Amino acid sequence: MKIGVLALQGAFAEHRKILELLEAESFEIRQKRDFEAQPADGYILPGGESTVMGKLLRELDLFEPLQSVISQGIPVFGTCAGLLLLAKSIENDPSVYLGAMDIVARRNAYGRQLGSFAVDGTFADQGIIPMVFIRAPYIQDWGGQVEILSQVNGKAVAARQRNMLVTAFHPELTNCTTVHQYFLNMIKRSRCTHE
Ligand code: GLN
């Protein structure tokens, strides 16, 4: 299994470390030819700054290739800014990036005082995990095909729609592998349905 990790900016190295713990191979996508050089079984869009990543994706001509693999059903996991990149729209920002997932996100949603915080919360049916939020969004609204996987303080902070998984928090900044394992299981199952 091989995962392509978008490595334009932000917390991509941390994702690769967790994948290594889970013995999943990964490679960095810094430009279009990295993307084209090898097919991946899944992709990770890390946290960082959505405006910067969006600009770089456009300049590097990576929007269409990503949209294409997502629409083919290849699993993709977006954390924090990655969630914003996948969202259909952002409530408090006119930008639409990949626009692939039927969620409306609220950017920098916790205000200045709660800019960064850590809590323990339930993720899907996987039990309680540590969740680190850094100037995070939450999911304000979502369509009928979206399954909400975590809520913190009454706000949706993790969700799945078909082959797309998003978390507003950063599982890659903890030593807990649960969310990445969940993503790798999504990949394994998507292979079964394709074969
Ligand atoms: N605040 C950032 C944004 O709007 C996201 C923060 C993060 O990815 N940790 O893009």
Side-chain angles (χ1 to χ4, degrees), residues 43-131:
Y43 293 90
I44 291 183
L45 310 178
E49 196 57 42
S50 54
T51 49
V52 177
M53 272 199 265
K55 185 168 174 279
L56 291 171
L57 282 174
R58 194 158 292 119
E59 283 169 9
L60 296 168
D61 202 15
L62 273 166
F63 267 112
E64 274 191 21
L66 277 171
Q67 278 165 330
S68 158
V69 291
I70 294 169
S71 65
Q72 283 164 41
I74 297 180
V76 58
F77 172 25
T79 50
C80 201
L83 176 155
L84 294 165
L85 293 179
L86 283 167
K88 180 183 74 177
S89 66
I90 303 170
E91 165 74 17
N92 51 344
D93 188 323
S95 312
V96 177
Y97 301 104
L98 296 162
M101 189 167 180
D102 194 8
I103 54 173
V104 179
R106 170 164 279 274
R107 192 174 170 219
N108 297 332
Y110 294 93
R112 269 171 195 269
Q113 284 204 313
L114 270 181
S116 300
F117 60 98
V119 293
D120 288 338
T122 302
F123 174 73
D125 55 358
Q126 305 291 307
I128 292 174
I129 61 164
M131 297 176 175

